[in-house]
Each structure stands twice: as C-alpha cells, then as structure tokens.
Amino acid sequence: MVKKMPETKELKLFVSSSDTAIPKIMYEVLLALLPATLMGIYFFGLGTLKVIGLSIAGAMLSEALIQKIRRQDIMVTDGSAAITGLLLALTLPSNSPWWMVCVGAVAAIVLGKQLYGGLGWNPFNPALVGRVVLLISWPVQMTAWPKPTPLFSHAIDAVTAATPLGILKMEKAAAIVNISRIDLLLGYRGGSLGEVSILAIILGGLYLLFRGHITWHIPGSYLLTVALFTGVFRLISPAEYASPLFHLLTGGLMLGAFFMATDYVTSPVTRKGQLVFGFGCGLLTGVIRLFGNYPEGVSFAILLMNSVTPLIDKYIRPTTFGKKQPE
Amino acid sequence: MGTTYFIGGIHPPENKITAGCPIETFPVPAKVLLPLSQHIGAPCEALVKAGDMVEVGQKIAQGRGYVSAPVHASVSGQVKSIEPYLHPIGRQVSSIVIETDTNQPQEWANSAIPLLKLLSKDTAALRDQVQDAGIVGLGGATFPTHVKLNPPVAKPVDTLLINGAECEPYLTADHRMMMEHPQELVSGIQLLAHILGISQAYIGIEENKPDAIAALREAATKIEAKGLTINVVKLRVRYPQGSEKHLIQTILDRQVPPPPGLPMDVGVVVQNVGTVYAVYEALSLGKPLIERTVTVTGSGVRQPKNLKVRLGTQVSELLDFCDWDSEGAGKIILGGPMMGMAQYTPQLPVIKGTSGVLVQTRAEVNTAGYRDCVRCGKCVEVCPMFLMPQTLSIYAERGMFKEAEEYGLTDCILCGCCSYVCPAKRPIVQMVGLLRSLKAAAKAKG
C-alpha cells in the first residue's frame, strides 16, 4: 500500500565528508609545536613549564568561561584555545612573572578572539594580540631575556642576555660576527622561550606542510621576502646590515612564518592572496627590523597584515569558471 | 588521446561495489506511480483519467511547452487515481497511479530497424520521435533531450560529447550499460550525430572503468555513418569529472560561459550514456522511455545490484529486492552520495532522473552539528568552478541574496566538493542549494 507521507516539518541538513575535522587539525598543530616547546624547556630550564602551563590554562579557562557566559556549547577541548595559549607562551621570555602570563592569555582569548565571536571570526591572531598587549604594557619585562642555561649544565640562573637582533640594533653588524650560526640554528641564544630553536620550528613546520594543514605559500613568500629585502641592504652596506641568513635564523621569524602567519582564520583563503599576505609580512618585518625602533617586527608585521586580510580576500578572488574565455 | 585534467575537485573513496554485477531486470511491480513532472520544464497534463485501461508504452501525459517531455505508461493496467504523491525532489507532485494487470503483453518488436535505414531518415522526424518517446537527460539533470538536439541556428554545434565518466562514488549503472551494450550505444551516438548534423563525437570515461573503455573502443571501430569519428577518451578519476562543463573543458579545452551559458554556446551537446541508450531504443525499436538502469547500493544493502527498473516502481520494493537493512539504515539517497537527494522515506517512485539508490548505515551518517567557518581555504582550493564557497556559504547561511549572487550563487554547480573537504563540517553546498531554492520560490511568487 502506497502511503502519502506528511510534509516534513524539520529541515535537516546532513553532511557526510572526509575525516579531517577541526579538533584533529588543532591537535596536530600542537604536536608540531612540541619540538620547539621541548627545546625551550631544555634551554631555559624547568621554570618554563610554569609559563607554558599558565598560558595554556589561562587561555582555555577564559575560553570556557566566555562560552558559558554566551550560553554556547563549551568547545574548549577542540584544541584551538590550547594552541593560542602555547603560542603565546612560546613568544614570552622564559622567566615571565605568573601574573603577566595570565594577563596575556586572558587578553589573547578575550580581546583577541571571543569579543569578535570566537573561532573563525577574529581578525587578528589571538596569541599575537596577547603578546602585543604585554609588550606595550610591560616593555621591560617583555624584553629582558634570560641567557640560555641548558638543563643539567649547572649554569647560574637568571643572567640576562640580549637577543641577537637586539645586539644588531644596538651595535650594528660588526657586533654579530661572533655569533655562531650553529648556535642560532639549535637555539643557544637569548630570546623568547619557543622562538630560539630554528631547527625544531622548521621540523614542526615541515610536519604541518607534509600533513597538508598548511601550504608553502605563506611561509615561503614570507621568508623569501625577508631574505630578499635584507639581502638588498646587505649588498648596499655590509658594514651596517646583517646577512639575510642571520635574519632568517633570528628573532621570531620562523615561529611566526610557520605557525602564526599561517593561522587559517586571520590569513587570506586564496593561494594568490596568501602569497600577497606573506610578501606583506616579510616586507613589514624587514622594514621594522632595519629601520624601526624595535629590534624585532614579526608580531607587528603579522598583525598589520591580519588587518589587510579582508581586503586581500575582497580583491584577490579566483576568476569563476567560464568567465574568461581561453584564447 | 591520453588522460587529461581539470583544475580542482576531489577524489573520494570510489566504492563501486556493484561494478561486477550485471544489470538484472527487476520484475514488473504490482503498481506504479508516475509523477507528471519528471523533467526540467513545464509539468505534464494527464491524458488519462481514473478507471482508464492503459497499455505499456502508451502516452499518458503530455506537456504543453516545448521544454517538456511526455510520460508513458510503464506497465499495462488500470489507472487507479491521479493525485499528489511524494516526489524525489521532496514535494508532493500530481502522479498517475497504475495498477498492473496480470497479463503484460509482449511490448515491442525484437528486431531493430537497421541503422543505415534510420540514418537515411529526415533528422526532424527522428528528433520528433525522440521527443515523443519522453526522453530526458538520464544522468540526473532530466533536461528534455529533444531540446538539446535542436540547437538554434545562431549557435552551431560541432561536437557531441557522451558522458560516461560516472564520477559519483558507488554508481555503476552507466558503467554496466557501457560494458553490456557498447554496440547499441555506438549506434545511438551515430543517430544523435546524424540528428545534429555533426562529424565528431567523443565518449569520456574515467580510467577506473578500463573494461568499459575497451568495449566502447572495440564497438567504435564499426561505424556505419559516413564521415563520423568517435573517440573514446580515458579520463582521470576525479570528482566532478562528469559535470558537463568539466567534461567539455577536459576533452575539448572549451569553457562554457557562466549561466545562462550552455554547452551549445561553445558548440557542444553533451548526452549521458543512459540517454544515448534510450535514444537508440526509441528510434530503432520504437520504445518510449519506460524503464531505466538504477544502481541499488551502499553498506545498508546486503545484496547491492544494478537493476533495470520500470519507471514508477517504489524505491522500497527495490530495497526489499536487494535485502536492505531497514533497521540499521541511516540515510537513503536517490542518486550518488555527492549530488543525490537524501529522502526521509523509501515510499516514493523511481523516476526518469533516478540513477541510484544509496543506503548508508547509521554509523556512516554524520549527524553531528557544524561549526563556524575557520577560513582554512580548502573549499576554495577544491571548487571546480573557482568560487569562494566559504564566503558564499556564510552569505547563504544568512539569506543574503545579493551578496551570495556576487559570490557565485548561480555559478555553483552544487557538486559538493566544498562540503566534502570542510573541516568544520559545514553543509556548504546544502546551504547554497537551499538559498537557490528560496530564490526560485521568491521569484515564482513575483
């Protein structure tokens, strides 16, 4: 017997799709950050665990709290707040006071992300928002870098050291000739706790590239632009400017290029747009490093380009199939 | 010609579990339900009334406009009623219900009219015959075939493309058709080429069907029509290769302009394999479109099959025939998993556009919610129409017609690659489809 069915009241949308979900990507990004984190702990001691732990906890707690206030589903276990917390920690001096870390983490999530509507809606990279809030609020604490004292090495704690970029800014290129490139690669230098080991960061970055979670477009164009920009000035005046290699191996450039500029939410969605974005990040980083008051410009460069992302997405769009006839 | 490419797209698991199952004839059902609208265009009006006796193949409904296709009785029997019933598009559509007689007469002549004789016939007469047989695009779009065979003088057509890509996962109806009836298909292609007055035809087949490629290459060596060349093109396995626009782009390197652009704007007519077979049967046997091949498949079906089914047969009967797990079923889809329509009941008829019935188990169906877009850009990368699906979906979600239009609401071919790759599990293509329906409804209201 054929039965007429009643009209459906509820319109349900079903999606069947591939197995890549947001939490999975997020946890793999955390995994990719592990080498850099471990190197930070190695160089700056177990005290860094406090900074890392507080930052992640602060980020996750404030995310959960806001979601509760907004009567949303508590999605804090999706890993995105944890990434923000970890990334923030990796950009801080290893001996940052506990209250400063907490303020940074809360600022990152509340000001940087949730005020805009949560994951997907924030225009700026939340971790960098947190970092910049701290940088302009407590510039002294944020630029006092403990000298690396590798675990088990019995070195005296709490000696501060200028970062290679800081030395460059103060004393020009002649002062950095003695800095070993190998030390820079491994991370034996003053700096934020997670930015020092270039090798570990590249390892994590390659993992993300290999897994397809990021593509080469942003880190590639970013790093290449920095290299070209600093290279030109090096050619003009070797006495005054450091080599492109020095610039690639120092500061937060690698961490920024692989883990911050590539943030999905705050970077353009098209490949062409991503190339423009990376180019802009590189140019701004170079300009700030060479001509700005700050020795380092990665945070500001990425945040400034974040603000341009909507514009890039508006004007750099793929040409719809069939709109342009082939010649 | 080797393997050629289009940009974008995805490669989901193929799941062609019925590729080795020969087409079986499904028994004549006790009752058929024939909706008056089984094509794109003006709905038909019934030519019969309740109580009438009809014979199989008799025309029982006729459209008024040119873009329309008549409906024929798929069984002999008595018209019980004409009233609204659920249609695969999800609405109630006026349908003719025929109760089958125990006595089903032998339908058509077994001997086909020789091809050469048909090829000497007047093209307009042949085209009228196609129209009269109620043939529509059997790939799923159900556009009346005779309209495609009558391009306006301003748009000369030079190439006939036969779509044997069958890029949808699971579906194998076209694959089996190509393996089992290559000669008939080549005859059908010659007839279509004759009607269109053209001299080159291509058959595009994805390379995961090497047996079908071989069978058609073999059959294409025996061409009776003068001056016609038929090339069988091996295509990369890539969804949505079977999209008309992408098939043309891949084989001929021509881009169909955006809507209202049609393949004929670039000199091409595309026909699905099943349609070619229906044209062949209509012209050489005088048989109207009363049955079609349907793949009944999915892990919710214990004995997946390719079936030759009378139009109007209940989907539930096909599922019973294939021993489906009615308790464990999570989703019934008419068509393939990418572009098919999910149904809330199997109590609805197989119509001209039904290429498959896919049953997924509860475990396979993702009913979890979706999240806000994280702008990862994966959808932009796979979109074969080069749109920005993420932006489009955000506008669609909010019902912002004007903005959605600017981001390609009408350009979207609803292939669903975006939804497939979305890590936030956003029903992007569904939202776009919904907005398009709402727009059409608003337009209809005036």
Side-chain angles (χ1 to χ4, degrees), chain A residues 4-8 14-15 17-18 20 22 78 120-121 264-265 267 271 309 313 317 319 321-322 325, chain B residues 83-84 92 255 258 331 344 366-367 371-375 378 381 385-386 388 406 419-420 423 425 430:
Chain A
K4 274 189 273 185
M5 295 296 296
E7 293 279 345
T8 36
F14 291 114
V15 193
S17 53
S18 59
T20 311
I22 288 175
D78 67 10
W121 299 108
Y264 287 157
V265 180
S267 62
R271 299 286 174 244
T309 292
D313 274 345
R317 281 163 52 179
T319 309
F321 184 100
Q325 288 293 326
Chain B
E83 53 182 320
Q92 307 270 319
Q255 282 202 354
K331 184 147 88 168
Y344 59 82
N366 169 23
T367 50
R371 302 190 52 170
D372 289 338
C373 170
V374 295
R375 299 170 37 82
K378 288 184 169 42
E381 203 176 351
M385 293 305 292
F386 314 144
M388 293 170 76
E406 197 190 317
S419 301
Y420 182 82
K425 308 285 178 198
Q430 290 87 341

Side-chain angles (χ1 to χ4, degrees), chain A:
Chain A
M1 174 66 202
V2 181
K3 263 196 217 154
K4 274 189 273 185
M5 295 296 296
E7 293 279 345
T8 36
K9 289 201 183 70
E10 190 188 1
L11 197 74
K12 241 185 181 174
L13 297 167
F14 291 114
V15 193
S16 21
S17 53
S18 59
D19 62 348
T20 311
I22 288 175
K24 195 179 159 200
I25 299 175
M26 296 294 177
Y27 283 107
E28 292 201 9
V29 173
L30 283 171
L31 187 66
L33 283 168
L34 196 62
T37 310
L38 290 177
M39 288 306 272
I41 296 168
Y42 172 74
F43 280 121
F44 298 108
L46 294 172
T48 50
L49 284 173
K50 187 185 71 184
V51 176
I52 295 166
L54 273 175
S55 186
I56 294 178
M60 290 179 75
L61 279 174
S62 39
E63 172 127 319
L65 190 70
I66 299 255
Q67 285 173 341
K68 193 158 171 61
I69 292 169
R70 293 184 65 202
R71 297 208 178 89
Q72 291 178 328
D73 296 335
I74 308 290
M75 306 288 265
V76 73
T77 53
D78 67 10
S80 80
I83 290 179
T84 300
L86 180 57
L87 276 177
L88 174 68
L90 296 184
T91 63
L92 299 179
S94 56
N95 62 348
S96 298
W98 66 269
W99 49 266
M100 204 173 85
V101 179
C102 290
V103 170
V106 172
I109 292 296
V110 178
L111 295 180
K113 181 177 174 190
Q114 289 294 344
L115 277 189
Y116 294 102
L119 183 65
W121 299 108
N122 49 297
F124 299 105
N125 185 311
L128 289 179
V129 170
R131 175 179 151 74
V132 166
V133 163
L134 297 183
L135 188 62
I136 53 185
S137 305
W138 295 284
V140 177
Q141 286 89 335
M142 281 295 284
T143 49
W145 318 95
K147 199 177 156 103
T149 52
L151 286 178
F152 326 114
S153 68
H154 306 289
I156 307 150
D157 208 12
V159 177
T160 57
T163 65
L165 281 176
I167 296 169
L168 177 67
K169 185 108 264 171
M170 305 309 278
E171 307 170 35
K172 299 296 169 202
I176 57 162
V177 288
N178 293 330
I179 297 173
S180 147
R181 299 292 184 262
I182 300 297
D183 280 353
L184 290 181
L185 206 57
L186 290 175
Y188 189 73
R189 59 148 164 119
S192 300
L193 78 88
E195 75 178 20
V196 290
S197 179
I198 301 304
L199 209 59
I201 293 165
I202 290 179
L203 193 70
L206 288 179
Y207 174 74
L208 290 185
L209 279 169
F210 174 72
R211 295 287 297 149
H213 295 322
I214 63 172
T215 62
W216 61 269
H217 299 77
I218 290 176
S221 58
Y222 191 169
L223 296 176
L224 188 69
T225 306
V226 170
L228 289 176
F229 185 84
T230 55
V232 166
F233 285 93
R234 171 75 172 183
L235 285 177
I236 294 170
S237 171
E240 200 173 348
Y241 299 105
S243 72
L245 184 66
F246 178 82
H247 278 285
L248 289 180
L249 294 177
T250 52
L253 179 58
M254 279 297 162
L255 189 66
F258 279 108
F259 289 94
M260 292 178 173
T262 54
D263 173 30
Y264 287 157
V265 180
T266 56
S267 62
V269 293
T270 62
R271 299 286 174 244
K272 253 190 231 163
Q274 290 169 357
L275 290 176
V276 172
F277 180 84
F279 169 77
C281 287
L283 197 65
L284 288 169
T285 301
V287 168
I288 296 173
R289 278 189 180 185
L290 266 46
F291 308 110
N293 276 327
Y294 285 95
E296 171 60 308
V298 169
S299 302
F300 292 115
I302 296 176
L303 284 172
L304 281 169
M305 287 311 291
N306 284 163
S307 72
V308 184
T309 292
L311 205 65
I312 294 176
D313 274 345
K314 191 173 162 70
Y315 290 106
I316 299 181
R317 281 163 52 179
T319 309
T320 305
F321 184 100
K323 280 261 159 77
K324 189 177 55 184
Q325 288 293 326
E327 299 302 315

Side-chain angles (χ1 to χ4, degrees), chain B residues 101-139:
Chain B
D101 267 353
T102 43
N103 178 31
Q104 289 290 320
Q106 170 67 30
E107 309 136 26
W108 348 96
N110 277 329
S111 57
I113 303 170
L115 185 62
L116 277 175
K117 200 171 164 192
L118 287 170
L119 289 174
S120 64
K121 274 196 179 179
D122 175 45
T123 55
L126 288 172
R127 189 165 52 232
D128 288 348
Q129 234 178 307
V130 170
Q131 176 173 12
D132 219 38
I135 297 172
V136 299
L138 297 184

